[in-house]
Amino acid sequence: MRQRMATVVWRVVLAAGLVCGIGLLPWLTRTDPAYTVLKARSAERDPTPEVLADIREQLGLDGGPAQVLTRWLGGLVRGDAGQSWISGSDVLPDVLQALGASLMLMAVALVVACLTAGLICTRTLRLGARRRLDGRRRGGTASAVIASLPEFLVASVLATVVGVQLGWLPALGWYGPQWTVLPALALGLPAGAVLGRLLDDLLPGAFGEPWALAAAARGLTGRRIARQALRRCVPALLPNLSLFVVGLTGGAVAVEQVFDIPGLGRTTLQAALAQDLPVLQAGTLALVLLGALATGATRLAARLLTGPALRDGALSSLHRPTPPAGGLLALLYGAVLLAVVGLGLPRDPLALDTGERLRAPSLDHPFGTDALGRDLLARVGHGALDTLLFAAAISAAALLAGVLLGLVPRISAPLVDTVNAVPPVLVALLVTAVAGSGAATPAFAVGAVAWAPLAAHTSSLLRQERATLHITATRGLGAGRWHLLRHELLPAVLPPVLRHALLRLPGVALALASLGFLGLGAQPPSPEWGLLLAENQPYAERAPWAVLAPAAVLALLGALAVTAAGGLRLPRRRRPRGTSQAVVPQPVLEKELVEAR
């Protein structure tokens, strides 16, 4: 009980610190908040001292940030989130309306994500139900491509092709359920591809557990065994699903911009740009509360799905050493990516030739040219240095932080929920306010939130691994915490988390690209991939190669990450000769069960 209370207090402190930190945004920028509000209200008025003093008096800014925060928190207790500094309207109705639109979009996007994840796992479920997983070849290239497509690019293509050219669905606005289909597809397809890959990584371990062998020996149908295998694996992914819930609600800024959706992500972004603190703080607080509700719901669902086995330490380990997958595809994708970068580096990415504007791919320009006549191959190659290096460095740091924090879930779980409630766009604005804009701004912003999914995955897998029979037996033989962590828990948990980190590598690159697309990252004439997509998107219909070139390289990076992750295994620890085996290793137990059957 005391530990639960400490966790609740820690969660409240983090949420309050986040809201208060956002309340300091105008003062962090070292600019006069009254000046920013004046420009947002009326750009034509001169910022005279009298006008600025009048705005400070209206907004109550004379007392400084402490007085502003105290007044806002006091009103929040009474159910009053204040009035917008820009429009003067009540904040709470506007934020609730934006939250309703985002929740509706999130719900449909989650349906799309679950269907996509199910399609990705269909082959493994079918083979597992028939006991034919031993000869299964690891795939995932198609899902890797889907997961690597930028959400804003998918949104633009769907809006242009499906909405405008074919006229099948509305392409702009927010007036009813049918307007949710295209943005939900843009959000749900990449999210479902990531969830599907993680689930597909766990399913073979579930089909190899003793209960599955016993169920098959008793004549249970393959469909029932497949359903139970899903039930066995889903609890380990539910923490990441709760992160997707908050991310799809507040982090869908680019998609909301493309489809003109008045969602919470877009509302908070506009409030942050205008320094409309009451709207920004209310939107952030709504995301924090949503994250807490999603976390509580997923933990309850995990307990219901796992049953008493988690409490009684009667689970089997999902993560056993398996032969590494073939690395031929990974080598092929890596060679192609290196070839693209190698061919682009000798070319000049800044050379202008207006007579060669939007030229189609040719021998002189294999990827074509952009709207200024610059060679796209050169820009993609030079942009890879920044995008890939930043993405690799951020992924490595996120992996280290995620694993370390995942080992202490009572500290990391509230921190994960709080961090996940802040979209990378808002983090980029905060970083820009403190450190200024530049190429490193999106890297800091993405790195500040990239560790959260890995920490949630680590703590979830550790919780289940601690409840396994072999851990219970090893602890009963006198093994200490350090021995269990070093020799039993980490070898079982690190491989799937490492594969998860590799799967997230394209997502990190996409997050960097999204910030560049929104104008919060690198600035022209930088060849950063996100900026390339943003610059060339207006010409996508006339010159599709201008957008397809950087998108294809991102998809290639995703395919490389998935195939490399499929072959990632940790070496098995050799036991000294003469060491007694008090617990029968899981593969041996399964072999004996199969022979007995």
Side-chain angles (χ1 to χ4, degrees):
M1 186 65 181
R2 183 178 299 176
Q3 292 179 343
R4 290 183 180 179
M5 288 299 300
T7 303
V8 172
V9 171
W10 174 231
R11 191 183 297 274
V12 172
V13 168
L14 288 174
L18 175 62
V19 174
C20 293
I22 292 174
L24 297 175
L25 180 62
W27 289 270
L28 291 174
T29 57
R30 295 176 293 276
T31 59
D32 189 352
Y35 178 80
T36 305
V37 172
L38 174 64
K39 289 302 179 183
R41 289 180 176 179
S42 177
E44 292 79 12
R45 294 185 63 183
D46 294 330
T48 62
E50 294 77 11
V51 173
L52 296 178
D54 183 58
I55 292 177
R56 292 191 196 96
E57 184 178 357
Q58 292 177 10
L59 302 179
L61 297 175
D62 293 331
Q67 182 177 348
V68 172
L69 283 172
T70 302
R71 187 187 309 114
W72 183 81
L73 291 174
L76 196 64
V77 174
R78 302 187 301 271
D80 180 16
Q83 284 75 39
S84 169
W85 288 0
I86 307 302
S87 63
S89 60
D90 290 337
V91 168
L92 196 57
D94 294 339
V95 170
L96 290 178
Q97 183 178 1
L99 178 62
S102 293
L103 289 177
M104 183 176 180
L105 177 59
M106 177 269 293
V108 182
L110 274 182
V111 173
V112 174
C114 292
L115 292 176
T116 304
L119 290 175
I120 291 173
C121 298
T122 299
R123 178 171 172 267
T124 301
L125 288 171
R126 186 176 63 252
L127 292 177
R130 298 175 181 177
R131 315 300 303 169
R132 297 179 180 177
L133 279 175
D134 290 340
R136 183 188 70 134
R137 291 184 178 180
R138 286 188 174 271
T141 301
S143 60
V145 171
I146 296 174
S148 303
L149 291 177
E151 295 172 350
F152 57 85
L153 178 61
V154 177
S156 301
V157 171
L158 290 175
T160 302
V161 177
V162 179
V164 177
Q165 295 181 356
L166 299 178
W168 292 349
L169 291 168
L172 194 67
W174 188 257
Y175 305 102
Q178 57 182 342
W179 274 264
T180 66
V181 176
L182 293 183
L185 286 173
L187 290 171
L189 288 175
V194 174
L195 287 175
R197 292 304 309 163
L198 294 177
L199 182 58
D200 193 67
D201 187 52
L202 294 176
L203 281 172
F207 281 113
E209 288 185 340
W211 67 263
L213 298 172
R218 291 186 60 184
L220 270 68
T221 63
R223 183 174 299 180
R224 291 187 62 183
I225 296 175
R227 285 202 302 265
Q228 292 301 320
L230 276 176
R231 180 177 178 178
R232 174 70 179 90
C233 296
V234 165
L237 300 181
L238 284 177
N240 273 277
L241 184 61
S242 68
L243 299 185
F244 275 112
V245 168
V246 182
L248 293 176
T249 305
V253 180
V255 174
E256 291 176 354
Q257 291 276 67
V258 171
F259 289 101
D260 194 24
I261 299 174
L264 189 60
R266 186 182 178 191
T267 300
T268 53
L269 174 62
Q270 292 174 348
L273 293 174
Q275 293 190 358
D276 193 353
L277 282 191
V279 177
L280 180 59
Q281 288 174 307
T284 305
L285 185 60
L287 289 175
V288 171
L289 294 177
L290 177 63
L293 291 175
T295 300
T298 53
R299 286 183 178 177
L300 178 61
R303 289 182 180 179
L304 293 176
L305 290 173
T306 307
L310 183 65
R311 180 196 61 204
D312 299 337
L315 292 176
S316 297
S317 179
L318 281 173
H319 313 288
R320 296 180 306 279
T322 56
L328 183 59
L329 279 178
L331 292 176
L332 177 61
Y333 294 142
V336 174
L337 185 60
L338 287 176
V340 170
V341 175
L343 291 174
L345 287 179
R347 298 168 177 258
D348 187 357
L350 303 178
L352 300 178
D353 188 355
T354 55
E356 296 290 324
R357 296 178 63 251
L358 299 177
R359 293 290 185 182
S362 61
L363 292 177
D364 293 334
H365 305 287
F367 283 3
T369 61
D370 63 5
L372 297 178
R374 294 173 297 191
D375 184 73
L376 281 174
L377 177 59
R379 295 185 65 74
V380 168
H382 283 265
L385 295 179
D386 293 335
T387 305
L388 294 181
L389 288 178
F390 274 137
I394 292 171
S395 298
L399 173 62
L400 179 61
V403 171
L404 292 178
L405 289 173
L407 298 177
V408 282
R410 294 190 181 277
I411 296 177
S412 64
L415 188 60
V416 166
D417 297 337
T418 306
V419 168
N420 187 63
V422 187
V425 175
L426 183 55
V427 178
L429 290 174
L430 293 173
V431 172
T432 303
V434 176
S437 60
T441 298
F444 284 116
V446 175
V449 298
W451 59 269
L454 300 176
H457 197 192
T458 300
S459 60
S460 176
L461 294 178
L462 277 175
R463 184 166 54 251
Q464 292 205 28
E465 194 66 25
R466 285 193 179 103
T468 55
L469 288 170
H470 74 94
I471 294 295
T472 303
T474 307
R475 188 184 295 114
L477 292 175
R481 292 184 178 181
W482 173 248
H483 178 88
L484 289 174
L485 179 65
R486 181 181 177 184
H487 298 289
E488 302 293 343
L489 295 176
L490 286 181
V493 170
L494 277 182
V497 176
L498 286 172
R499 293 193 291 272
H500 186 184
L502 277 176
L503 292 176
R504 290 278 177 179
L505 177 61
V508 171
L510 288 182
L512 295 173
S514 298
L515 293 178
F517 174 79
L518 294 171
L520 298 174
Q523 300 299 318
S526 171
E528 195 269 334
W529 289 355
L531 187 59
L532 291 183
L533 291 168
E535 290 176 341
N536 296 318
Q537 187 189 7
Y539 311 98
E541 188 174 355
R542 176 183 172 186
W545 55 85
V547 175
L548 290 178
V553 180
L554 278 171
L556 183 62
L557 175 62
L560 172 61
V562 168
T563 51
L568 182 62
R569 296 292 185 274
L570 291 183
R572 296 187 65 176
R573 182 174 62 91
R574 291 186 176 182
R575 297 181 181 271
R577 291 186 178 181
T579 302
S580 60
Q581 297 288 337
V583 182
V584 180
Q586 192 71 23
V588 176
L589 178 60
E590 291 179 2
K591 183 179 179 181
E592 292 176 355
L593 286 174
V594 172
E595 292 174 353
R597 184 183 64 181

